[in-house]
């Protein structure tokens, strides 16, 4: 799941976590990102307090989002076999060997993406500080303009063994089609590829994705309710439509029936008339599962509107967009029972893989928002992946990451990357992992 949601996450870096987007993704400087990604072509995906019923007060304006996510459908390629589990261990003595040089290429000079880039940099450096032996990192600062980023990438490639970046989707797209990728490169967003275009074999894409998150939510709900008819409820924001579309498509790929209802929030709040109509629809056309492609406040309204039997018995699922993070979460039972996916960094603070890294330091605010925390976590995992590839290239491995369970296959043909997020459920007003 930055201000206009993980969808707005990097379009939003300018519109689950709880979830990686409201504005068009093609805009330069927009950070669009996804999660199970096979970093090759783009083939077909595998099947597998509501306010009182009266005028609501205007919703406080949210700051421009700093992170947007972009969808890359899963590939037809089979999951790689022979996965090796990475066991954290200290790096061997470097001896007379020169350090492995990594260039961290980030748009810190970008008005739209600068804040997100700084959060990612902080996460990357936090991970480096814990396992720095044998590594040397150079920070390469750019804007979000593709040509400037390409020029900086080519120069950095000449002086380093690996590049981590770019971050802006437009820059990753330009890099993917440039034929300049000659050394291991870890892209932090997904390129906008069309048709039969394929990624360079040295380019691994690890960005966050609300679409992949949505597909995982649909699969989870289908396992728990294998023959249920679903109703997908969304707002009219671009990121909400993307979540709803991905859920519906995946539900149908699984051979199940999905219907959709798009609501039109006013000042950020769901309208009473539309909620009344939705209740009537559910009474006349019962649903076995309800998906909420909404923000946390809207989801709380929806739950309140459906608080009477039998509508309150319909299980509700969503992405990390339903988790506003610790800084803004509201106490109360309204959301209890709602299920969502999010990153371990947001919902498993006591997990060993999370506890070993420091929390991000606030910069002019009481606490980072959930979207920025997700970007910080992405920075941590970016270094960990880079470290494993540098230590043992041409191998498959798994990482218990702070952004999820990660599977990486790099250096042996088309790169493969997959991220599985944490299933969670609201309990006592807090998203709690489902054991």
């Amino acid at each position: 799941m930055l201000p206009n949601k993980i969808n707005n996450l990097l379009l939003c870096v300018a519109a689950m976590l709880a979830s990686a987007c409201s504005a068009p993704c093609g805009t330069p400087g927009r950070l669009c990102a996804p999660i199970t990604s096979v970093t090759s072509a783009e083939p077909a995906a595998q099947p597998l307090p509501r306010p009182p019923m009266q005028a609501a007060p205007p919703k406080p304006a949210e700051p421009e989002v700093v992170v947007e996510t972009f969808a890359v459908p899963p590939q037809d390629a089979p999951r790689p076999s022979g996965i090796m589990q990475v066991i954290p261990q200290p790096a061997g003595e470097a001896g007379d060997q020169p350090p492995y040089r990594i260039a961290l290429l980030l748009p810190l000079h970008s008005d739209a993406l600068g804040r997100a880039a700084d959060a990612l940099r902080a996460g990357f450096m936090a991970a480096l500080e814990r396992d720095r032996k044998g590594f040397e990192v150079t920070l390469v600062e750019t804007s979000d303009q593709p040509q400037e980023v390409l020029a900086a990438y080519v120069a950095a490639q000449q002086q380093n063994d690996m590049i981590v970046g770019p971050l802006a989707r437009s820059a990753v797209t330009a890099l993917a089609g440039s034929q300049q990728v000659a050394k291991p490169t870890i892209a932090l967003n997904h390129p906008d590829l069309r048709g039969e275009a394929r990624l360079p074999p040295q380019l691994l894409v690890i960005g966050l994705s609300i679409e992949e998150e949505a597909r995982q939510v649909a699969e989870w709900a289908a396992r728990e309710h294998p023959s249920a008819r679903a109703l997908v409820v969304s707002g009219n924001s671009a990121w909400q439509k993307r979540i709803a579309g991905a859920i519906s498509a995946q539900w149908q790929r699984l051979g199940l029936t999905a219907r959709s209802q798009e609501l039109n929030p006013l000042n950020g709040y769901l309208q009473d008339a539309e909620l009344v109509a939705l209740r009537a629809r559910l009474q006349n056309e019962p649903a076995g599962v309800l998906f909420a492609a909404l923000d946390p406040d809207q989801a709380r309204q929806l739950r309140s509107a459906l608080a009477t039997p039998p509508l309150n018995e319909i299980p509700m699922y969503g992405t990390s967009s339903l988790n506003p993070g610790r800084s803004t979460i509201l106490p109360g039972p309204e959301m209890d029972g709602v299920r969502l996916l999010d990153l371990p960094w947001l919902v498993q603070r006591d997990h060993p893989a999370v506890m070993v890294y420091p929390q991000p330091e606030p910069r002019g605010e009481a606490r980072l928002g959930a979207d920025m925390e997700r970007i910080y976590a992405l920075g941590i995992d970016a270094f960990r992946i880079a470290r494993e590839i540098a230590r043992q290239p041409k191998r498959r491995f798994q990482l218990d990451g702070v952004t999820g369970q990660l599977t990486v296959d790099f250096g042996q043909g088309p790169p493969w990357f997959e991220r599985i997020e944490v299933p969670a459920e609201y309990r006592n007003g807090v998203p709690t992992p489902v054991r």
Side-chain angles (χ1 to χ4, degrees):
M1 311 160 187
L2 314 154
N4 286 331
K5 280 313 125 223
I6 264 191
N7 197 0
N8 283 16
L9 275 191
L10 270 163
L11 156 223
C12 293
V13 132
M16 26 240 344
L17 235 192
S19 188
C21 298
S22 291
C25 283
T27 306
R30 291 314 172 81
L31 184 56
C32 300
I35 295 176
T36 240
S37 30
V38 175
T39 56
S40 51
E42 219 180 41
Q46 285 284 5
L48 282 174
R50 170 188 171 230
M53 296 284 273
Q54 53 190 332
K59 194 171 185 178
E62 297 183 359
E64 276 297 297
V65 181
V66 215
V67 182
E68 175 177 13
T69 57
F70 170 69
V72 171
Q75 307 287 322
D76 289 327
R79 181 189 179 96
S81 60
I83 299 298
M84 300 173 59
Q85 180 69 37
V86 172
I87 307 297
Q89 54 186 304
E93 292 298 331
D96 295 330
Q97 293 293 323
Y100 190 93
R101 300 164 301 173
I102 300 175
L104 180 58
L105 185 67
L106 293 175
L108 290 162
H109 297 166
S110 166
D111 292 336
L113 302 183
R115 186 163 167 256
D118 188 55
L120 195 142
R121 175 205 59 77
F124 192 93
M125 294 305 180
L128 170 69
E129 189 63 29
R130 185 171 183 271
D131 294 298
R132 67 163 54 249
K133 183 177 291 186
F135 291 91
E136 178 182 287
V137 172
T138 299
L139 181 61
V140 180
E141 304 182 16
T142 70
S143 69
D144 52 25
Q145 297 304 307
Q147 292 308 311
E148 179 185 333
V149 175
L150 268 181
Y153 174 88
V154 171
Q157 195 171 223
Q158 295 172 357
Q159 304 296 325
N160 294 274
D161 304 302
M162 178 188 292
I163 311 297
V164 176
L167 179 61
R169 175 187 167 218
S170 57
V172 177
T173 300
L175 178 62
S178 68
Q179 299 184 335
Q180 297 288 343
V181 184
K183 290 184 178 180
T185 300
I186 299 177
L188 303 167
N189 208 333
H190 290 258
D192 183 7
L193 297 182
R194 297 291 181 250
E196 297 300 316
R198 303 189 69 84
L199 294 178
Q202 292 279 68
L203 183 62
L204 180 71
V205 173
I206 68 166
L208 302 174
S209 165
I210 53 172
E211 284 86 354
E212 179 54 32
E213 199 173 74
R215 288 188 282 266
Q216 290 183 25
V217 166
E219 291 171 0
W220 177 21
R223 289 193 299 270
E224 297 190 330
H225 308 278
S227 59
R229 295 178 55 161
L231 179 63
V232 184
V233 180
S234 74
N236 56 7
S237 297
W239 66 268
Q240 295 172 327
K241 293 179 181 179
R242 287 166 52 194
I243 292 174
I247 289 174
S248 295
Q250 187 66 19
W251 196 255
Q252 292 166 3
R253 286 189 199 104
L254 297 171
L256 302 172
T257 302
R259 297 167 294 160
S260 299
Q261 180 147 341
E262 182 179 308
L263 305 179
N264 296 283
L266 181 63
N267 296 323
Y269 288 106
L270 302 183
Q271 301 184 61
D272 289 339
E274 291 190 326
L275 291 173
V276 170
L278 177 60
R279 284 202 299 265
R281 178 177 183 179
L282 286 170
Q283 289 166 344
N284 295 326
E285 305 173 22
V289 173
L290 189 64
F291 291 102
L294 302 168
D295 70 25
D297 291 336
Q298 294 164 354
R300 184 180 294 267
Q301 279 187 270
L302 180 59
R303 286 281 286 181
S304 298
L306 305 179
T308 56
L311 301 183
N312 64 343
E313 298 172 1
I314 305 174
M316 184 183 294
Y317 292 78
T319 66
S320 61
S321 72
L322 302 185
N323 182 9
R326 297 172 300 162
S327 60
T328 55
I329 201 164
L330 294 176
E334 294 88 351
M335 292 289 283
D336 284 2
V338 174
R339 298 195 148 193
L340 68 152
L341 291 181
D342 209 337
L343 311 187
W345 187 260
L346 273 292
V347 297
Q348 285 185 306
R349 297 288 184 174
D350 59 347
H351 191 287
V354 173
M355 293 174 66
V356 297
Y357 297 103
Q359 296 298 308
E361 296 182 5
R363 298 242 178 147
E365 55 182 297
R367 218 171 208 173
L368 288 183
D371 286 333
M372 285 301 171
E373 292 236 25
R374 294 183 182 104
I375 295 299
Y376 178 86
L378 178 61
I380 292 175
D381 278 353
F383 174 76
R384 297 181 67 197
I385 292 169
R387 179 176 183 267
E388 293 304 324
I389 291 175
R391 287 162 56 88
Q392 299 185 57
K394 297 185 178 180
R395 63 188 281 250
R396 305 182 185 112
F397 60 89
Q398 289 181 329
L399 277 175
D400 193 6
V402 299
T403 62
Q405 290 292 325
L406 312 180
T407 301
V408 180
D409 188 354
F410 187 80
Q412 306 179 103
W416 169 285
F417 178 79
E418 180 181 64
R419 176 184 287 110
I420 304 298
E421 295 193 21
V422 178
E425 180 179 295
Y426 267 93
R427 297 174 185 167
N428 300 316
V430 178
T432 304
V434 176
R435 305 295 181 184

